[in-house]
Amino acid sequence: MTASLRRVQALSTCYLCGNYIHTGRRGGHCKLLNVEVQSNWSACSLAMPPFAPSWETRTAPTLLELQERVETTA
């Protein structure tokens, strides 16, 4: 079984996603999509494990950060 297949099986519902915030008896909020969701809904393709490695949660560098990197290496 491949790692990607195990990841999909492990994240079968919104409740198991790292972006899910529990807000009620059966519902919650998706931080990523900024919408209300039900905990038993099937997870979307953007689902992330609750304890994802840091490289999965890393954001892209801003333009200013890229410019600073170029200036320091030049």
Side-chain angles (χ1 to χ4, degrees):
M1 185 181 296
T2 64
S4 61
L5 182 57
R6 281 190 299 248
R7 180 177 172 188
V8 170
Q9 288 177 340
L11 294 171
S12 59
T13 61
C14 289
Y15 179 73
L16 299 172
C17 179
N19 296 311
Y20 177 83
I21 301 171
H22 180 75
T23 57
R25 188 169 185 173
R26 280 178 254 139
H29 184 81
C30 176
K31 293 187 293 186
L32 185 63
L33 302 174
N34 197 27
V35 295
E36 297 300 315
V37 295
Q38 294 293 317
S39 61
N40 60 348
W41 285 356
S42 295
C44 70
S45 61
L46 302 173
M48 182 176 295
F51 301 104
S54 61
W55 60 267
E56 287 188 358
T57 58
R58 187 164 187 257
T59 58
T62 63
L63 183 59
L64 182 61
E65 290 172 339
L66 291 172
Q67 287 175 340
E68 289 172 354
R69 289 181 193 172
V70 170
E71 290 172 359
T72 57
T73 59

